[in-house]
Amino acid sequence: MSNTPADFDIIFGGGGTAACVAAGRLAAANPTLRILVLEAGEHTKNEDSHVQPGRYFGHLSPASTTLKFHVGKPSEALAGRSLVIPSGRCIGGGSSVNFTMYTRASASDYDDWETQFKNPGWGSQYLLPLLRKTETYQAQPNQPTHGYSGPLKVSWGGHVTNVANQFLEVAAATDHDRTYTEDANGFYDCNKYGKWPKWIDAETGKRSDPAHYYIYNQGANENLVIRTGQQVKRVLFEGEKAVGLEYVADRVLRPDADQAPQQVYASRLVVLSSGAFGSPAILERSGIGAADLLAKHNIPVKVDLPAVGENFQGMLGIFVFRDEAETFDALIRGDIAETTKNSDLWTEGKGLLAANGMDAGIKIRPITGQDFAELGPEFEERWNDYFVNAPDKPVIWFGPSSFLLGDHTTAPVRRYFSMAYVNEYPISMGSVHISSGEDPHAPSDFNPAFLNHPADLATLRWGYKKTREIARRMKYYRGEHLPIHPKFAAGSEALCSGEVYGPITLDAPRLKYTEEDDKAIDDFHRKFIQTSWHSLGTCAMKPREEGGVVDPRLNVYGTTNLKVAGDRRYSTSLCFSSLCLPSIFLFRGLGFLSIAPANVGANTYSSALTVGEKAAVIIAEDLGLQIDGVGVLETSEQTISGLDDELVPAPPTKTKLPDDFAGLEGIEGLTISSMVNDEYTNSKPAMITVM
């Protein structure tokens, strides 16, 4: 029993996706629980830059306060570059600032978590009901792997561009080895082209995020406290038991605040939810990590856990379009007429502000001999070891982006589209560690390790060739934006031509690439590859002797009353774009799943939500909570505790337990009450200004 009086029952160190889900579920299940969420970043409630999906590019500005930018070590594999990885720093984390793409992992990804990494209860049969529980799937009715009563809405968004339609038309006409599907995220298969859903409410055009629909809609609960502008420094212990957190004022939001550390205490549980960068840093500053690294920073060793901060896992080509193409470029440049038009449309849930410009794609794996020939011998071992017996695992994702994935300040003013391709399961793994034992604001000692394995280059090379063939046949195609394409030798059949009059015919022969051309593509990727903002793995859920940090119940090895449920993960995937632009991203960033033992072939937001739901179930079981059925809760003039316990107005909402919870009865343990998405007051439209 702690001798220190506790301020709260549960403290969450970090206010990202998983924290919002877990804290929100627990608070709804038992409103008497005193729950604190500490977050370094800012509130997002009703802010246009967050609730209007089409404004997501504004968060990538170097001056952004909603992202933290982590600079990696220079790497020869990246032509001497230092890669910069952003992570969300606001309530909701990456889910409040991401592209709103709805991409789910494959069933075998979660089955690997359970079988290969010895985590009972984490297989697809246990997690699919939780995936369904999070969502109201508006895109299509009666789909067995989707949910229809959850708090977060999933739809096609307020506008699907003609860029996406052309992509699907060309794919259908030229790729006869693959088919079309109405559900490209059906969970059990891949290799099908389709429209791409979004975490956007079809009726309101608003972003569906856990900040608004798990946290801000519970303003009547004064026991749920959110403190922003607070940087967690370390865990407080009594022996092996975690009893609280020490934190300081965030220097970005509160530059003039006193930096004297403050302590806050929890009677029942401390949960670290600061993601793939933040959670391992907090553990290391608390004396949990590799003994030699802790000694280097004069930190007494509490638990020698060498895997902390390891296992870090985490793409672009551009093309020119004619004026009839529907793109986001004018909106991104801050064009007043375009912004005003779309602000008006957004009030009806329509237009580009209710969309994301990424409306189609495919999770693709090789089928034909030509596919395997293009992937080459560098990929053969990876295919045989990882993919051949998992037919639901894609090698890459690719699709069109209705905007320039590049620097608009240096590109001619016109319409662009990019072909993005992402390496879903890169082999290369990096690490992230502290650079100071005392300063929580100090930059990370970060090694992304992108492209350190030749198989990762092979998959990107295949992605470039596949997407370029589709782009060259799209109706509005008008050439390649040369600054963001490989530099092929003069005389090469693959030489990029810049602007052209129109597309090639659908039945035109494919380009033939020489070994020299392949080298040019590899050099291009080393110089231009970027993160896709989905990171994971730095507090991996594995057996301790196999490099784990937490056990299947999210407990940190060697401690009690301390869990990790992070979602700001660091892992990488690779991607590239094209006037047409190619777009390359080395994926996994802005969803950060620190506890994931292995990569997932998807945007990580969906998995982060699921980890949050699973964490809520586990914590409820551990605390012996009795979860009562919750009826409809109508409130008005709600408030939610904010910075320094100052009350911040929150929107009206409804919370209820829906009827449609088929599948949840198969989960052992407690069933936590559901929260259902509802309207909140529109904020006033404002002009977009990006970079």
Side-chain angles (χ1 to χ4, degrees), residues 389-563:
N389 293 320
D392 62 338
K393 277 183 166 59
V395 171
I396 61 174
W397 176 92
F398 69 72
S401 303
S402 302
F403 43 78
L404 168 67
L405 273 169
D407 188 353
H408 278 80
T409 65
T410 61
V413 175
R414 61 177 308 161
R415 297 179 187 271
Y416 296 88
F417 78 102
S418 306
M419 293 295 285
Y421 45 98
V422 178
N423 180 355
E424 296 282 34
Y425 303 94
I427 299 178
S428 305
M429 290 190 184
S431 62
V432 55
H433 296 288
I434 56 173
S435 63
S436 169
E438 284 295 322
D439 184 4
H441 306 291
S444 301
D445 181 6
F446 174 38
N447 177 20
F450 282 18
L451 297 185
N452 281 355
H453 196 285
D456 291 339
L457 281 168
T459 55
L460 291 181
R461 192 186 315 130
W462 187 52
Y464 176 80
K465 294 176 182 179
K466 296 289 287 188
T467 57
R468 189 180 180 193
E469 292 297 342
I470 293 179
R472 295 166 67 233
R473 291 165 170 80
M474 291 169 64
K475 178 180 177 182
Y476 293 155
Y477 170 82
R478 290 299 179 269
E480 292 145 338
H481 185 54
L482 296 180
I484 314 182
H485 272 274
K487 307 300 182 186
F488 297 110
S492 168
E493 182 180 327
L495 184 67
C496 297
S497 55
E499 294 192 40
V500 297
Y501 176 73
I504 62 174
T505 61
L506 291 174
D507 60 354
R510 292 168 55 92
L511 293 171
K512 294 181 180 179
Y513 294 85
T514 65
E515 288 187 14
E516 184 180 7
D517 295 333
D518 285 351
K519 184 179 182 302
I521 297 173
D522 291 348
D523 289 344
F524 167 70
H525 286 146
R526 293 189 188 281
K527 293 177 181 177
F528 286 94
I529 194 171
Q530 298 294 334
T531 177
S532 65
W533 314 300
H534 303 121
S535 306
L536 50 82
T538 54
C539 295
M541 183 174 58
K542 300 179 182 180
R544 184 172 182 175
E545 65 275 12
E546 296 179 16
V549 176
V550 301
D551 68 17
R553 298 194 67 80
L554 305 178
N555 301 306
V556 177
Y557 290 118
T559 71
T560 62
N561 283 41
L562 178 62
K563 294 183 186 289

Side-chain angles (χ1 to χ4, degrees), residues 67 90 152 183 187 238 291 357 430 434 447 579 627 636 684:
L67 291 177
C90 55
L152 304 179
D183 185 6
F187 201 54
E238 291 183 358
I434 56 173
N447 177 20
L579 263 359
I627 308 299
S636 60
K684 184 178 179 180

Side-chain angles (χ1 to χ4, degrees), residues 633-646:
L633 174 64
E634 299 266 10
T635 60
S636 60
E637 299 298 323
Q638 295 180 4
T639 57
I640 189 163
S641 297
L643 180 62
D644 294 331
D645 295 335
E646 178 184 358

